[in-house]
Structures are given as structure tokens and as C-alpha cells.
Amino acid sequence: MSAPVAIVRRIEFLRSTLDHHNYRYYVLDDPEIPDSEYDRLMAELVRLEAAYPQLIISASPTQRVGASPLPAFNEVKHRMPMLSLANAFDEQEVIDFDRRVRERLGISELAYVAEPKLDGLAVSLVYEDGVLIQGATRGDGTRGEDVTPNVRTIRAIPLRLHGQDIPRLLEVRGEIYMTRDGFRRLNDEQMKRGEKIFANPRNAAAGSLRQLDSRVTASRPLTFFCYGIGAAENDRLPQRHFERLQRLKAWGMPISSEVAEVRGVDGCLKYYRSLAARRNELAYDIDGVVYKVDALDSQAALGSVARAPRWAIAHKFPAEEALTQVLTIGVQVGRTGAITPVARLQAVQVGGVTVTSATLHNQAEVERKDVRVGDTVVVRRAGDVIPEIVRVVPGRRLPGARPFVLPTVCPECHSEVVQADGEAVARCSGGLFCPAQRRQAIRHFASRRAMDIEGLGEKVVEQLVAGGLVRTAADLYQLTKEQLAALERMGDKSSENLLQAIEKSKATTLPRFLYAMGIRGVGEATAQVLAHHFGSLEALQAAQVESLQTVPDIGPVVAQHIFSFFRQAHNQEVIQGLRDAGVSWASGPQTPAQRPRPLSGKTFVLTGTLKSMGREQAKVRLELLGARVASSVSRNTDFVVAGADPGSKLGKARSFGIPILDEEGFLGLLDPSASS
Ligand code: D41
């Protein structure tokens, strides 16, 4: 059956429109339309392709979801070797580099291009007639691994190029990396699911790219900057590196906005100092800058030695690891009383920042690394994550140094510290009697996904709790402008703003309110399911453990936590206080008519295991949005949600050309505002 011409045209229109908006977003950093509009266009394309699967092409923007796992990566021989970069560790080495280059070329002052040196993974992307046909890791420079399905999932990498004079064959080189924000989000998710925590964005990027299952890669926040051209079948390319980068950008390749043309070694060093000073403001980690001779004919004349070009050099920032000494080991108390050991360190500069403490995560971690007071340790600061102790330097331990033992009472409130069987963390049993837990509880209450009180930061909360102005969340609603203005670093204006933010938070929703309570085991998703199931706070408060357990995905442990929470007089008082102060939400069970039902009429099928929620919960949440959830795939299925280890339903969905959502896509669908 052939497709109507109008459909073929519409599909191509949608693809080029989506490509265009992807380009505005990733390359020009200047989006023209809101994400919701992009999603709407994508949804239409997904629908049309599902109806006409014979029209699907691999360069379609819908085809970035990953493919079935490979048994192993194939080896790729690079068309041109991927050279490495020589390093300069101080300014003198850069001055020497520039002198050598000028002497060889017999030129008195050179034009260079200065680029940030991204801390990611070098890759080669091959385009044939402007269409991405291969992605490979650098490997040893001669041979790398074929990671084509993986790179196809990275939205910053165009699946096809646009514009004039695109070489028939073009090999683009660049760096795949993770932004610091993406890295933090990924680690948060990994932590919640009890999975591996990555040490830094580079490791996270490497681990995410080298996945045999590219659907895993698709769920990771990888991105890309291009820094050059490898092989190319076209002799009309610009003869200056800077112009080549501009040309690549016009074809759709993302180029760092920090790339600059500079003159002479002075220009190089000036660029270095300025970027080093702004380093922490960048969205991504860099470990130095790269200087490249701009003119291609000069590059050719200089050639290369020992697999590194003579025309480029990496000027590295000072190392991000340093040696220092552990002064004491103390502990910090979290919202749920979790006790985290923290090493206080002899102040040391790590990558330009003074570090005085490092987290040790938990008792087991301290034992594994065997960190003791007085030890000389290697500390690492990756990006702006909390510094950590990499290892103890053996042989420098002071005689008599004793292993660290967790305190038996909380350092803040002197309550007993308890460790439940099978739990890695020990906890202070003081509950909200403990000022540390109180501070954290208030912070959680005010956080963006909870009551969303802007301006209630750590320093403010600390003062409010220490000064006795705020003991519980309800006290926030009794604060006066005078009280706030009297705090350190709070002027009239910021007190006014904070009061307004507190006032604004009174109009909330039941799920947000439940999440804000900080009940153990009740995250955002559970709060939503509870609110939906019980319909009102009163009904939830009255629920017995047995009826709580009948709620999808609530097991005996969380049911008990919820039950106990509402039985405590203290919690009842706080809730009453909040309601008396005017905190409220639309009451009664939300009838279908009141709720927006964006997925109304759509049929979903779930397969495999989701990491963030159980199948029942996923079903409830889809139904809340109006969708129908069926148990088997048919031609009437609109979407299949595939978790880990999906069953035969996935193959069936593919054969019908039904769009498949991975977990991230699914979560984005449930809460489009969450993917910020
Ligand atoms: O940002 C980078 N990591 C970066 C790496 C860059 N901006 N430019 C680079 N240029 C080269 C040459 C000059 C050899 C084409 C590089 C690399 N190479 C490179 N990355 C990994 C090994 C070599």
C-alpha cells in the first residue's frame, strides 16, 4: 500500500521543521518555539510514521530512541588517524611552543584559534551525502569502536546536515560530554534507583556512550561539540580552521561559543586567563584550552611528530587532585536523620578552589577507604561537585592513628544514633527534635518540587532555626517582615520577596503538600498516587496500614511509614497549623472533568521493568492523564513504554511500527515540566 503524496509531504515537512528547531536549540542556542510545541510536532510525526511505517528513515528525528542491544562493538579503522594533543602545563611551555612554530614557519606573529578543552570523549562522525552513517570512539587513534546506534541518540548530533557545499563524504571530529547539570541529574536518578554513582561528568559520559544497549545511552544527558574535520571529499573547504568551524556550524554542527580567534602568544595567554577565571560559570567541565594554528597551509607545513600535530597544543589547567591532611572526621545530619561522615581537611587548593572538607558518604565507605584522622589523602574536585577523598597515601599514616567509628549519639541533639538491619546509613533518632533534621525538613518543604518557596535558602533557614523563629514548617507562615529583615544578609527587598513567596505557596496541590511533608518513602510519584487514590488529606490520614498497602506500589514498609507519620501528635499539629495559616488545595476527589486529560483516547502497553516506578504505578499515572493501558500490543496500540528487559511485546510493537518510549521519554510524557 503506498502512502498518499500529502502524507509523504507532511512527514518531510515535520522532519525538516523538527531538524530546524533542533538546530536553533543545540547549535544556535536560540530556540524559536517552546518545548511543548516541539513535542507536539514530534507527536504528530510519530503518529504518521506509525500509520505509514514504510516511510520511516533512520535520519528521522523519531529514530533517536536507541536500538536493541549489540553483542559487542565492532572495530572501526579511522579514515585518517585521530591525532593526540601535546600538553603545556605552564605559560613558559606555551611561549616555547609559539617560538618553535614561528621559527619553523619563519613568521613573526601567528593567528591562532583558541578553544576550550572539553573533558569528554573524542569521537569521529561520518556523514555521507550529509547523512550520519557512522559514529566511532577515538580508541587508540587508529582504531576505535563503532558506536553508531549510541551517537544517533544524542540530540545535539545532527542526523543529517543542511546547506550548501556539503562534501559527499565528511568526517566530523568532536567531543561527546555531559554538562554538570546533566551529570548531577543522572547521579540523583542513579542514587534513587540504587545504581552506580559516577565519579565525574567524564566518567559518566564514557560509561553512557559505551553501552551495548543504546536505549540506555538514549536515557543519558549526553551532548556534543565539534572541533574539527577529519577526512573530507571536497576541496572547496575554507583554508582557515576558524572558518571551517563556522562552516560546520552552518551545516548544523554545534560549536562551542567560547571558540575565539586570537593573535600571537599574548592573545593565547590572555584567552587562557580569561577562560580560567570563568571556568566555573561554564555549563561543562573543561581541563584546559587548546591553541591551533589557524591557517591550514601552515598546519600542513608544520606536520606532526609522534602522533601529535606540531600546530596545536593543549594548555592544561592545574590538576584537580591535591594532597592534604585529614584534621578531624565529623558527621552531618540529613533530613531523615541520615548521618554522613565528613572529613575536615587542611585547606588545600584544588583546581583553583580552596577545599576544606570532603564527604565520606557512609561508614562502609570510610572503612573501605580506611580513612583515619591525621592521614595524608588525595582529594579530588570534579567540576563543582562536593570534593571527595580518592585514597589514603600509604606509608604516611601517623603512628597510633585509629579507625573512625560513627558516634553513638547525634552531635546536634544528642539523641541515639541507630542503624537499621540491612541499611547502609545510620540515623539520628531525634526526629524533628534535632535542629539539623529540622533545618533539612524546612529546606525540603520549601524546595521547588514541594511548596516551591523561592528565596528560602540554606543560610536563611539556618538562621531561622537557630534563632528559634522556625521550629516547624507551619512557623514559616507566621514570619513577619521585621523578623526577616533582622536576619543577616536580608534587606528590605529580599524580606518582602520572601514573604510574598511564602504567601504564594499557600495555594498548592495535594500531591505537592504530601511530598513536602517529607514522609519517608514518599517521593513525588508516590505522593501523586496517594493523592489520587484517597482524594483528600482526611481520607489518607484515616487510612489503616492494610488499606494503604492496597495502593499500587506501596509496600508494607512505606505503608507503615505513612501510617506512623499521621499518628504522631507533632505531625498532626504541624498539618493543622499549616491549614489554619491558609495552606490549601482543590478539595475532594478530583473528578475526571476537572483534570486535564492530555492522553485521552490513547492506548498504551507497558513492557519491561521501569526503574523509577512499578508497573501498577505507571498504569495509574497514565490513566490519570486519560490514557487506557492495555495488556497486549495490537494495531490499536498508540505507544509502547519499554523498561529494562522488555518482553516480546517490544518486537511486536516494532513490527507494527508503533512508537516506543524509553523510561525517560515516558517520564517526560507524565510530567513535561520535569524535564527542565
Ligand atoms: O575539546 C577538546 N577536548 C579538543 C580535543 C579540542 N578542542 N580540540 C582537539 N583537537 C585535536 C587535534 C588538534 C589533534 C585535531 C582535541 C583533540 N585533538 C583530541 N581529543 C582527544 C584526543 C585528541
Side-chain angles (χ1 to χ4, degrees):
M1 181 190 67
S2 74
V5 177
I7 297 288
V8 175
R9 292 223 178 105
R10 181 71 186 161
I11 285 182
E12 182 41 38
F13 169 79
L14 288 167
R15 285 179 188 155
S16 51
T17 306
L18 286 161
D19 284 349
H20 168 76
H21 291 301
N22 219 39
Y23 172 71
R24 298 285 311 196
Y25 187 92
Y26 287 100
V27 181
L28 302 186
D29 193 19
D30 184 19
E32 281 174 338
I33 57 169
D35 289 355
S36 57
E37 180 62 13
Y38 185 93
D39 294 345
R40 201 187 59 74
L41 293 166
M42 182 69 93
E44 185 187 348
L45 180 57
V46 163
R47 215 168 40 228
L48 289 179
E49 287 185 346
Y52 300 93
Q54 70 273 30
L55 298 181
I56 297 179
I57 55 167
S58 64
S60 172
T62 59
Q63 304 297 302
R64 290 189 182 272
V65 288
S68 327
L70 303 170
F73 292 119
N74 284 327
E75 194 183 84
V76 166
K77 189 170 185 311
H78 296 303
R79 288 173 169 78
M80 267 168 63
M82 290 183 79
L83 299 179
S84 56
L85 279 167
N87 288 318
F89 292 99
D90 55 36
E91 298 200 343
Q92 188 55 52
E93 291 183 11
V94 177
I95 293 168
D96 294 343
F97 159 79
D98 172 64
R99 187 180 29 75
R100 286 194 305 271
V101 169
R102 284 187 293 106
E103 281 173 6
R104 272 188 179 266
L105 295 173
I107 298 179
S108 62
E109 193 187 59
L110 272 163
Y112 290 102
V113 175
E115 306 173 1
K117 184 168 186 296
L118 274 98
D119 206 3
L121 280 101
V123 291
S124 143
L125 306 174
V126 181
Y127 289 84
E128 228 174 69
D129 294 320
V131 177
L132 177 67
I133 57 154
Q134 185 186 76
T137 61
R138 176 173 179 274
D140 64 4
T142 308
R143 284 161 210 279
E145 284 172 333
D146 183 342
V147 288
T148 311
N150 308 68
V151 303
R152 297 176 50 82
T153 69
I154 301 172
R155 278 184 55 191
I157 296 181
L159 296 177
R160 46 186 193 178
L161 304 176
H162 55 77
Q164 304 303 307
D165 274 345
I166 297 170
R168 203 197 64 78
L169 183 119
L170 176 71
E171 187 196 353
V172 172
R173 286 170 177 187
E175 203 85 359
I176 288 178
Y177 67 99
M178 211 176 266
T179 62
R180 290 195 200 124
D181 240 29
F183 166 71
R184 263 192 299 266
R185 262 187 290 128
L186 173 60
N187 262 357
D188 279 354
E189 285 163 19
Q190 294 283 101
M191 178 110 75
K192 276 190 211 134
R193 296 179 198 140
E195 290 190 22
K196 182 186 150 113
I197 303 294
F198 295 99
N200 53 53
R202 204 203 111 81
N203 288 1
S208 300
L209 182 66
R210 296 193 60 254
Q211 288 281 342
L212 290 169
D213 186 342
S214 52
R215 290 167 304 196
V216 176
T217 311
S219 75
R220 303 284 177 84
L222 291 174
T223 185
F224 176 76
F225 273 139
C226 155
Y227 63 69
I229 292 177
E233 281 179 23
N234 184 340
D235 41 32
R236 310 221 327 244
L237 286 170
Q239 290 307 303
R240 293 199 163 266
H241 177 59
F242 190 77
E243 287 167 16
R244 286 194 166 191
L245 293 180
Q246 303 313 309
R247 181 69 57 89
L248 286 162
K249 185 171 172 176
W251 286 335
M253 280 290 158
I255 308 288
S256 166
S257 59
E258 300 296 335
V259 172
E261 289 175 288
V262 297
R263 286 212 70 83
V265 70
D266 292 342
C268 291
L269 297 180
K270 201 169 145 218
Y271 177 90
Y272 175 89
R273 291 181 202 126
S274 130
L275 202 60
R278 289 190 302 112
R279 180 178 180 189
N280 289 324
E281 292 157 29
L282 299 182
Y284 42 83
D285 275 356
I286 58 175
D287 58 356
V289 306
V290 186
Y291 311 122
K292 298 176 181 174
V293 170
D294 195 16
L296 267 289
D297 55 356
S298 301
Q299 288 186 4
L302 288 161
S304 54
V305 263
R307 319 209 53 75
R310 282 203 193 85
W311 46 266
I313 196 161
H315 187 178
K316 303 281 279 246
F317 290 138
E320 297 226 50
E321 280 187 2
L323 281 187
T324 190
Q325 208 179 12
V326 177
L327 300 177
T328 62
I329 300 178
V331 298
Q332 265 172 6
V333 187
R335 172 168 66 87
T336 56
I339 304 265
T340 309
V342 176
R344 302 280 158 218
L345 306 169
Q346 178 66 53
V348 63
Q349 290 285 314
V350 189
V353 169
T354 309
V355 170
T356 56
S357 68
T359 175
L360 288 162
H361 304 293
N362 56 49
Q363 175 71 25
E365 180 83 354
V366 183
E367 284 168 19
R368 191 173 65 74
K369 290 182 177 161
D370 191 21
V371 179
R372 305 186 187 188
V373 172
D375 278 355
T376 298
V377 293
V378 178
V379 287
R380 176 190 299 148
R381 200 184 62 89
D384 55 1
V385 302
I386 308 165
E388 59 168 9
I389 290 180
V390 182
R391 63 178 176 278
V392 171
V393 178
R396 288 229 214 157
R397 174 160 289 162
L398 304 176
R402 273 181 293 166
F404 169 76
V405 264
L406 218 57
T408 53
V409 296
C410 171
E412 293 246 11
C413 72
H414 309 289
S415 302
E416 195 188 347
V417 168
V418 290
Q419 185 158 8
D421 286 340
E423 274 203 34
V425 288
R427 289 175 203 278
C428 158
S429 58
L432 290 180
F433 172 68
C434 175
Q437 293 192 43
R438 226 183 260 167
R439 287 197 300 271
Q440 305 293 343
I442 301 288
R443 294 261 289 152
H444 172 76
F445 179 84
S447 64
R448 196 166 64 83
R449 316 295 302 250
M451 302 296 280
D452 193 18
I453 306 178
E454 210 184 310
L456 198 63
E458 192 175 337
K459 286 280 182 300
V460 178
V461 171
E462 201 176 301
Q463 294 181 68
L464 291 172
V465 171
L469 289 171
V470 170
R471 288 174 312 111
T472 73
D475 297 336
L476 290 172
Y477 295 89
Q478 308 301 329
L479 290 169
T480 64
K481 193 173 165 199
E482 291 68 37
Q483 287 173 325
L484 289 176
L487 301 178
E488 272 175 50
R489 287 195 264 166
M490 281 290 276
D492 265 6
K493 186 71 194 145
S494 32
S495 316
E496 185 64 43
N497 289 344
L498 180 51
L499 273 189
Q500 272 182 19
I502 293 173
E503 188 59 32
K504 209 173 98 191
S505 75
K506 287 181 182 174
T508 186
T509 65
L510 183 54
R512 275 182 180 269
F513 182 81
L514 292 176
Y515 173 61
M517 290 293 96
I519 306 165
R520 271 181 70 189
V522 180
E524 273 187 283
T526 309
Q528 285 197 5
V529 173
L530 284 171
H532 170 67
H533 189 92
F534 289 97
S536 73
L537 179 63
E538 291 70 22
L540 175 60
Q541 277 177 304
Q544 298 299 311
V545 176
E546 297 71 37
S547 74
L548 284 163
Q549 279 198 60
T550 64
V551 179
D553 290 312
I554 292 191
V557 176
V558 175
Q560 185 62 53
H561 283 321
I562 298 168
F563 179 77
S564 317
F565 179 88
F566 289 116
R567 292 300 155 302
Q568 284 180 34
H570 167 82
N571 293 332
Q572 288 168 12
E573 276 167 38
V574 173
I575 291 171
Q576 197 53 52
L578 288 166
R579 304 203 78 177
D580 290 347
V583 172
S584 63
W585 48 87
S587 64
Q590 291 212 336
T591 60
Q594 284 172 321
R595 262 184 284 109
R597 295 164 66 83
L599 300 181
S600 150
K602 295 275 177 271
T603 302
F604 282 69
V605 171
L606 302 165
T607 179
T609 319
L610 295 171
K611 289 169 182 162
S612 52
M613 67 184 83
R615 186 173 290 209
E616 272 306 310
Q617 193 173 334
K619 186 169 173 212
V620 170
R621 296 199 56 189
L622 282 168
E623 287 170 355
L624 276 171
L625 296 174
R628 196 176 79 82
V629 179
S631 55
S632 62
V633 175
S634 75
R635 292 198 184 276
N636 296 326
T637 309
D638 293 292
F639 291 96
V640 168
V641 176
D645 303 320
S648 59
K649 291 175 198 170
L650 185 65
K652 197 162 169 196
R654 285 225 171 90
S655 69
F656 286 167
I658 295 168
I660 295 158
L661 292 170
D662 63 0
E663 182 152 0
E664 193 184 43
F666 171 62
L667 293 175
L669 188 74
L670 292 183
D671 185 2
S673 68
S675 47
S676 57

